Amino acid sequence: MDAPTTLNPSDLAAFYRTALLEDVMPFWMRHGLDREQGGFLTALGRDGTVIDTDKSIWVQGRGAWMFATLFNTVEAKQEWLDAARSGIEFIRRHGAREDGKLYFTVTREGRPLRMRRYVFSESFAAIANAAYAKATGDARAAADAQKFFATYLDYSFKPGRMEPKVDPQTRPMMGIGPHMMGIATAQELRLHLGDIAVGERTCSQWIDWSIAQVERYFLKPEHEALMEVVGPAGEVIDHFDGRTLNPGHALEAAWFIMHEGKLRGDQKLVRLGLTILDWMWRRGWDEEYGGIFYFRDLRGLPVQEYWHDMKFWWPHCEAIIATQLAWSLTGDARYAAWHRQVHDWSFAHFPDREMGEWYGYLHRDGRVSVQSKGNMWKGPFHLPRMLWYCWRLAEESAKGAP
Amino acid sequence: MDAPTTLNPSDLAAFYRTALLEDVMPFWMRHGLDREQGGFLTALGRDGTVIDTDKSIWVQGRGAWMFATLFNTVEAKQEWLDAARSGIEFIRRHGAREDGKLYFTVTREGRPLRMRRYVFSESFAAIANAAYAKATGDARAAADAQKFFATYLDYSFKPGRMEPKVDPQTRPMMGIGPHMMGIATAQELRLHLGDIAVGERTCSQWIDWSIAQVERYFLKPEHEALMEVVGPAGEVIDHFDGRTLNPGHALEAAWFIMHEGKLRGDQKLVRLGLTILDWMWRRGWDEEYGGIFYFRDLRGLPVQEYWHDMKFWWPHCEAIIATQLAWSLTGDARYAAWHRQVHDWSFAHFPDREMGEWYGYLHRDGRVSVQSKGNMWKGPFHLPRMLWYCWRLAEESAKGAP
């Protein structure tokens, strides 16, 4: 996976396609499928050896979505459909507590380990089921996608439904995460199931609502920043948590919004996404060592998290998508340069050229911190999603090019 | 704070004393007291500027213990007693929820922010009140010390009292932390209040019981390791959490146990502490860059925590104490060499020679990761406790020397 020497869209498309289909997905097909108990095993050592058999429900949904998406958009390969089904069926059999809320982790055979307050297992299960319903016509998958999204919306946005971490009487806070994931989940449901209603809004209306909330409460022109958490009227909370910016997260939000603008032909949405990209690229890019910092403080004060300056795989995947999408939507040379910059840094530091896939966690200067290829968070998702999205985008640009 | 050039106990004593009384405590006196609202403010930037006004209840107890201990053992300085009282009174006024359980964090003025499952706020409040009762004869402090320790024991050891993180039906686990902190808390209560009964055991009996549990369930001769968590019969849990070793934590346990052996003249306890030190020093010392790794995997597999190789201030403080105590108890040159090794590395990398105190969080190679001097965990505790303990121990060695 060496970086291409030109920014020619056809070369880029071929590069991303090759990395996806000849390196990354084969790694997960070879090592990440539990052929005995079903579902995905993603706690893998450098060479793909399973180093922990516990299963992440996030990863079951993310993996099933990725395999179903490749089946739907690249080629109707039986092994991809089987892998998607394996994740879907594992969630059906073992994912949920009696009340329907999904676990965070379970054992290899599916016995409950951890339940968490929040509902990201549900958002990933929703997109997995939506893509799987499209692939198979399976009615239960279509129904489950809606059911999981309804649970996600309920816990994320109904006041008092989720137990808060910080006393809401003393310091009411709201996070951008639920809006961001709500946008991406609604986009996937709409793509596969049509613009259906879930709860009191259609998918497009949920997207409108969350983007409006992001713009109204989390976007701070006076700071040129997108906040992670704010007070109930969008107040900046001038404490560690309130000041902590997550540039990778913001760049992911930026491309979700640009993608929506592109689908609708809505330049206002595209400009909003570009604004977030512009501000958070400047906040996140490490001018000294290259790469995207994990956390930054709004006022440049010390960040509480001691590992704030590490370089994780996923913010780089999101930055590669955001910059390429911005470039394709605007033709602006600045975005081409940023795309090249983060692409080159990422492909110079994250890939394991000997054993395949990417390392997940690098020190600030790009040295590998952890040799493993996956864990309860890192599985077949951010990296293959980026390669798949950027391949298709580059191909589109190549076709549209004069 | 340059390292002394010899291992002469008198020089060491003077070195630690100077660092404690002329650098570290003045830093906290100058910057860490909330002269308006009471208690300690410990989220301080490099120069001591307050960067977050939220207050940690752990730190209120730890700080009050440290100031009261200096008052009790070094000099009856009014400003130290006042600082201790300020922490004690802040906990009295604002520390507890209605049911008496202490918060983890509150606002500057004491409004509740976070409650956590576990009860380390209680263990620190217990030692603070015990030392403050000794300093003042205050009856409420003596009663509170017992009350907080009783709550600590109840939540830590009564089955089902603390909500477990991992489903106990699927994977019952027990941690070493409650035993370790139980030993240190019981030692402080006994020192100041006598060998009183708290719940069904006296302080000495709680110490005996916890040391017996550590030896029986957590110490693994076949691996030459002290585990952090094990199954209910001491089984190694071969998953990420179960395999994760915390050498700094183990070295702290080692010196708590050696200290008990020294007090009682019990060579069996001293040998147990030395065994833990021997094994966990080898597990923890970084042969390449020096310093003590934060986490290690029992089987040498990748650790799940991506910041596993960072060098934190507190494991180094604990290692300095453990090696010096082992040296003073055995006269073994190996422990003198280890003490010198970790002392030199620590004093070469952690101190801020310009603004005082220590940085808390270094990268593996010793470069500073976070410029701040404190936060909700780092306050006037591990570093001054080490300087205080090692000063007195070196002085004792100097006096006992031929």
Side-chain angles (χ1 to χ4, degrees), chain A residues 254-272:
Chain A
W255 80 255
F256 290 166
I257 295 170
M258 282 189 270
H259 181 81
E260 189 67 18
K262 179 181 171 182
L263 289 178
R264 297 188 188 185
D266 182 336
Q267 284 310 307
K268 196 173 155 292
L269 289 184
V270 170
R271 279 195 304 274
L272 173 60

Side-chain angles (χ1 to χ4, degrees), chain A residues 52 54 112-113 170 239 306 369, chain B residues 52 112 167 170-171 239 306 369:
Chain A
D52 192 340
D54 290 343
L113 285 171
T170 304
H239 293 277
Y306 27 84
S369 170
Chain B
D52 192 339
D167 191 321
T170 304
R171 185 172 297 158
H239 294 276
Y306 28 82
S369 170

